[in-house]
Amino acid sequence: MKIAISGKGGVGKTTIMALAAREFRRLGREVLIIDADPSPHMAQTLGISPEGITPLAEMTRLLAERAGKTPGSPYYQLNPQVNDLLERFMISRDGYRLMVLGAIQKAEAGCACPENQVLRKMLQKMLLGDNDVVLLDMEAGVEHLGRGTVAGVDHLLIVVIPSRSSIRTGLKIKKLAEEARITHVAFVGNLVGGEDDRLFLRENLGTEPLVCFPESPLIRRAERTEQPLVAIEDALDNAPAELVRKLIATP
Ligand SMILES: Nc1ncnc2c1ncn2[C@@H]1O[C@H](COP(=O)(O)OP(=O)(O)O)[C@@H](O)[C@H]1O
Ligand SMILES: [Mg+2]
């Protein structure tokens, strides 16, 4: 199962992905997390020391080779060989496997950056067993979707908080995700305080979020004291477990 997460900046994507990762581990799943945010944050959230992690994007020459750049050509041809990249760039700690993409180039019109192509190929070509879960943590916004990078995922979770601007971004992402023909697209509410917030989300999204996460003082404290999120016992009640259960139950 390959699951990507998107949504406006700061709505809780990395937080929710880390909690979902822990939940999948508890169920005995093999979890690979790909941090595709240009300011990567996932290692810290998982309590993994960034030592020994080479962001894929720093290997520009290697990536250009794998993306099959033709000298003098303004774009990169498809078909990079990516099978060994995972082994080389992934680190394993505490049962989590993590790969960091790093700061990728912004796509100009007509430019397909090798970092993106390699990520896309990896998502498409990765051979997964029934027990394997890939979690793709993305930057804010919809650029990846626009470039079709996440077309290879089975699930896209769009995180929204009860605010107009996050909902506006969320709805835009949903439209792009549908154009990219991602099979399962669902909203996940975060910082949902009570019935009013739920109602606001439902009315403005036009649908019920798959799961709603409450605001958690434990998470706030962990962030302030720079503690790994996954070290906190059962932050956010049973929302992460409910999310993972629903993802697994979706055929
Ligand atoms: N449910 C929550 N309760 C309390 N704090 C939260 C919650 N979700 C996210 N946060 C905090 O909000 C900030 C942004 O979250 P983050 O997951 O980094 O967002 P994103 O990845 O979408 O940019 C972090 O400081 C995080 O600790
Ligand atoms: Mg993030």
Side-chain angles (χ1 to χ4, degrees), residues 5-19 37 41 45 137-140 159 161 189-192 213-224 229 236:
I5 200 156
S6 188
K8 196 173 157 64
V11 291
K13 298 180 291 297
T14 301
T15 302
I16 289 172
M17 266 318 200
L19 293 172
D37 191 315
H41 208 80
T45 309
D137 187 24
M138 298 197 291
E139 66 180 316
V159 181
I161 60 173
N190 192 23
L191 306 180
V192 179
F213 286 68
E215 165 146 22
S216 158
L218 289 175
I219 290 182
R220 276 228 306 271
R221 196 181 318 141
E223 202 272 336
R224 289 176 190 177
L229 192 57
L236 294 181

Side-chain angles (χ1 to χ4, degrees), residues 110-188:
C111 153
C113 305
E115 297 89 338
N116 254 304
Q117 284 207 41
V118 167
L119 176 59
R120 177 161 56 192
K121 281 287 156 192
M122 244 163 15
L123 286 172
Q124 283 170 355
K125 290 199 161 181
M126 224 180 262
L127 289 177
L128 297 184
D130 287 347
N131 207 35
D132 292 325
V133 180
V134 176
L135 300 176
L136 176 64
D137 187 24
M138 298 197 291
E139 66 180 316
V142 293
E143 292 83 359
H144 286 298
L145 291 173
R147 286 176 245 153
T149 303
V150 297
V153 304
D154 314 302
H155 290 266
L156 178 72
L157 302 176
I158 305 171
V159 181
V160 287
I161 60 173
S163 82
R164 288 225 177 262
S165 63
S166 98
I167 289 172
R168 217 174 290 129
T169 305
L171 289 170
K172 234 186 267 174
I173 295 170
K174 183 167 186 247
K175 191 157 170 283
L176 281 165
E178 282 164 359
E179 284 165 17
R181 296 180 196 282
I182 295 171
T183 320
H184 303 292
V185 181
F187 291 110
V188 172

Side-chain angles (χ1 to χ4, degrees), residues 12-155:
K13 298 180 291 297
T14 301
T15 302
I16 289 172
M17 266 318 200
L19 293 172
R22 173 169 71 176
E23 216 50 53
F24 275 117
R25 288 293 305 143
R26 280 181 176 157
L27 296 175
R29 300 286 180 124
E30 292 294 330
V31 177
L32 166 66
I33 303 161
I34 302 176
D35 189 344
D37 191 315
S39 331
H41 208 80
M42 189 52 97
Q44 192 191 338
T45 309
L46 292 172
I48 294 176
S49 145
E51 261 166 56
I53 305 179
T54 311
L56 195 59
E58 281 175 19
M59 308 301 289
T60 31
R61 218 185 59 197
L62 179 91
L63 285 176
E65 280 166 24
R66 296 313 171 82
K69 187 180 191 308
T70 312
S73 157
Y75 53 84
Y76 294 89
Q77 291 173 355
L78 288 175
N79 216 11
Q81 294 299 308
V82 292
N83 304 351
D84 63 318
L85 289 179
L86 267 179
E87 291 303 319
R88 283 176 66 179
F89 289 95
M90 194 183 75
I91 62 155
S92 286
R93 296 281 156 76
D94 306 329
Y96 300 101
R97 290 177 297 160
L98 174 68
M99 202 179 88
V100 176
L101 200 62
I104 55 167
Q105 299 166 26
K106 284 284 163 231
E108 309 283 335
C111 153
C113 305
E115 297 89 338
N116 254 304
Q117 284 207 41
V118 167
L119 176 59
R120 177 161 56 192
K121 281 287 156 192
M122 244 163 15
L123 286 172
Q124 283 170 355
K125 290 199 161 181
M126 224 180 262
L127 289 177
L128 297 184
D130 287 347
N131 207 35
D132 292 325
V133 180
V134 176
L135 300 176
L136 176 64
D137 187 24
M138 298 197 291
E139 66 180 316
V142 293
E143 292 83 359
H144 286 298
L145 291 173
R147 286 176 245 153
T149 303
V150 297
V153 304
D154 314 302
H155 290 266

